[in-house]
Amino acid sequence: MSLLYNRKVLLGVSGSIAAYKSAHLVRELIKRGAEVQVVITDAAKDFVTPLTLSTLSTRPVYSAFIEDEQKAYGVWNNHVEMGLWADLMVIAPASSNTLSKMATGACDNLLTAVYLSAKCPVFAAPAMDLDMYANGATSDNIKVLEQRGVGIIDSDYGELASGLVGKGRMAEPEAIADHLEEYLSSTLPLYGKKVLINAGPTHEHLDPVRFLGNNSSGKMGAAIAAAARDLGGNVHLVLGPTQAALDLKGIKVTRVTSADDMLSAMVSEFTDSSLTVCCAAVSDYKPVSQAEHKIKKSDEGNSLTISLEKTPDILSTLGKMKGDGNFLVGFALETRDGESYAKQKLIKKNASAIVLNTLGKEGVGFETDTNEVSVYTVTGKTFSFPLTSKIALGKSLLELFMSEFNLSDA
Ligand SMILES: Cc1cc2nc3c(=O)[nH]c(=O)nc-3n(C[C@H](O)[C@H](O)[C@H](O)COP(=O)(O)O)c2cc1C
């Protein structure tokens, strides 16, 4: 889901030839789920009609403090209310005239009055001919606005409406919407933090068609990955072979088959990861050798003996690599003495926390959409999470890791 979903965006449109692109920008913002209120200058109305913008935004477009038809009723457009309503304000296109008014605080029209009243983050996308853009007055105004915290969405270089080629084209509507999303993601608590997760089963092949494996769906790990993504994390999921439908949008995924593949993917991504969560159901053993061709049913005897050897211990390997900035969480599944094994595992594997799956209850385990767990931390704390959906549990666990490991402050 776009970070612009449900956001209130004030779009100021001023008198540049690029104003025709503001119709496209309204559509783009609405497509990403934003509510859009357009405020337009008189000059901009020569380039794009308020009717087009109000139809696309499904809201009246405001231009004057008191529109002609409002005069008889003493009604006016409250610039202060609009400034307070918005989560974000973007002026696109921002003409050189409007940039200059913004820089000096002139407010002789509704757009600049709303700008002065706005409490939300404000962005401006300058659009003008190359010489207007290159003029020292314009660049000084842009500098002043940047110093005051206005986010300048830089103009593009290219062919201009005048036929000249240079810098001054308004950034494309998609790029403006992306810029706003990037800003919103930079305000999220895990922004810039890498979160590494493994999930799903591993398949240890006996021959080209058969393997030792398990029914893990990867749903629990994918839920934690989605929660980390939604909080702005840079999420990398190392996923074993699963057919489950998982929400992997915006998550970097490395698909692996065996425990050995999973180990090398995790090791190569671990060092710069702030939080690593190992919830894959990794096979403990693998065949000592893999047959080159399918093993045939033999006519002699009733049994087949396969020699197995241990697979690498991923959590333990990462525990040995762990530095001060890496928080490492492992999942455990025990059929008896769960708490005691989980606490031993915590120390033995040098983990920061262990999540113990509850066993033997309806609705918990591998292929279900729900789960119930307890968490034991290296600081000696225990947290219990009652039966809930894996999606909700993923969020709760991530919030716990963030607060226990101070992840948003680090
Ligand atoms: C055809 C035409 C194209 C224009 N294109 C631009 C432009 O791209 N950028 C700009 O800053 N001004 C441009 N102008 C000048 C502005 O429209 C003018 O400075 C106006 O006063 C801006 O008012 P506003 O900032 O209140 O919208 C253009 C004028 C005309 C007639």
Side-chain angles (χ1 to χ4, degrees):
M1 189 195 301
S2 165
L3 289 174
L4 283 163
Y5 184 76
N6 263 348
R7 301 292 181 145
K8 298 186 179 80
V9 180
L10 259 177
L11 172 60
V13 180
S14 62
S16 150
I17 184 69
Y20 78 93
K21 289 190 193 169
S22 60
H24 191 126
L25 179 56
V26 173
R27 282 196 72 117
E28 190 61 33
L29 294 170
I30 299 257
K31 202 168 87 188
R32 298 185 194 205
E35 269 182 73
V36 182
Q37 174 62 61
V38 179
V39 179
I40 190 169
T41 65
D42 281 339
K45 288 189 215 162
D46 289 333
F47 300 98
V48 60
T49 70
L51 185 61
T52 304
L53 298 173
S54 68
T55 306
L56 294 174
S57 64
T58 70
R59 284 171 166 269
V61 166
Y62 298 123
S63 177
F65 291 100
I66 306 170
E67 311 283 351
D68 286 345
E69 62 279 12
Q70 293 174 332
K71 278 191 181 132
Y73 307 100
V75 178
W76 62 294
N77 296 324
N78 191 325
H79 53 281
V80 179
E81 259 174 27
M82 271 187 259
L84 293 175
W85 169 84
D87 295 319
L88 294 173
M89 179 173 190
V90 56
I91 297 143
S95 68
S96 47
N97 180 52
T98 290
L99 288 169
S100 144
K101 288 185 189 177
M102 287 165 71
T104 56
C107 98
D108 62 352
N109 66 22
L110 188 66
L111 194 160
T112 45
V114 172
Y115 161 67
L116 284 183
S117 310
K119 287 250 195 299
C120 61
V122 179
F123 298 83
M128 62 206 67
D129 213 42
L130 74 166
D131 294 321
M132 292 172 85
Y133 185 85
N135 191 295
T138 306
S139 43
D140 284 355
N141 288 333
I142 289 177
K143 260 186 233 144
V144 166
L145 290 172
E146 267 181 322
Q147 279 159 8
R148 292 199 193 125
V150 174
I152 299 295
I153 305 174
D154 209 6
S155 305
D156 289 338
Y157 181 96
E159 195 178 329
L160 297 154
S162 61
L164 299 171
V165 174
K167 191 164 178 179
R169 280 171 66 92
M170 185 178 86
E172 291 304 320
E174 290 82 0
I176 294 175
D178 287 349
H179 191 102
L180 299 181
E181 279 196 358
E182 180 59 26
Y183 164 77
L184 290 170
S185 76
S186 74
T187 64
L188 293 172
L190 283 179
Y191 181 74
K193 297 253 159 37
K194 180 166 169 184
V195 178
L196 175 64
I197 296 168
N198 68 12
T202 63
H203 287 178
E204 312 300 330
H205 275 272
L206 317 172
D207 67 18
V209 292
R210 301 187 186 90
F211 53 82
L212 286 178
N214 59 65
N215 288 333
S216 169
S217 60
K219 286 179 185 171
M220 191 64 251
I224 297 173
R229 170 204 62 201
D230 293 345
L231 289 171
N234 167 17
V235 185
H236 193 130
L237 178 67
V238 178
L239 185 61
T242 167
Q243 303 299 324
L246 304 172
D247 165 19
L248 302 176
K249 206 172 154 224
I251 294 170
K252 190 171 169 206
V253 181
T254 302
R255 302 240 177 208
V256 294
T257 303
S258 67
D260 286 302
D261 299 341
M262 192 171 269
L263 175 75
S264 48
M266 292 297 284
V267 164
S268 68
E269 294 295 335
F270 180 69
T271 319
D272 60 345
S273 162
S274 302
L275 171 68
T276 299
V277 184
C278 294
C279 51
V282 183
S283 178
D284 289 331
Y285 289 90
K286 63 179 179 180
V288 170
S289 60
Q290 185 186 325
E292 192 183 340
H293 298 289
K294 184 179 168 223
I295 300 168
K296 289 264 186 216
K297 195 191 269 185
S298 165
D299 291 337
E300 288 157 33
N302 282 329
S303 63
L304 170 72
T305 303
I306 297 163
S307 293
L308 301 178
E309 64 183 352
K310 276 187 182 159
T311 55
D313 187 327
I314 298 176
L315 187 61
S316 217
T317 307
L318 300 180
K320 286 185 188 120
M321 293 170 68
K322 185 159 85 73
D324 286 345
N326 308 122
F327 292 96
L328 178 62
V329 177
F331 270 61
L333 185 91
E334 303 291 348
T335 51
R336 63 190 161 92
D337 299 332
E339 180 173 345
S340 148
Y341 279 124
K343 286 180 175 168
Q344 284 171 37
K345 191 168 176 177
L346 185 63
I347 307 301
K348 208 167 132 199
K349 313 237 168 169
N350 194 25
S352 316
I354 294 289
V355 181
L356 178 67
N357 284 289
T358 306
L359 254 193
K361 263 182 111 175
E362 201 175 321
V364 300
F366 271 173
E367 289 168 298
T368 61
D369 286 327
T370 50
N371 207 6
E372 178 177 325
V373 299
S374 299
V375 181
Y376 303 93
T377 71
V378 75
T379 48
K381 296 186 197 161
T382 303
F383 301 88
S384 294
F385 293 88
L387 190 67
T388 184
S389 75
K390 284 183 176 169
I391 304 272
L393 183 59
K395 275 190 193 152
S396 305
L397 287 174
L398 196 81
E399 276 160 17
L400 176 78
F401 303 148
M402 280 175 60
S403 69
E404 282 303 301
F405 309 145
N406 292 324
L407 278 179
S408 41
D409 312 334

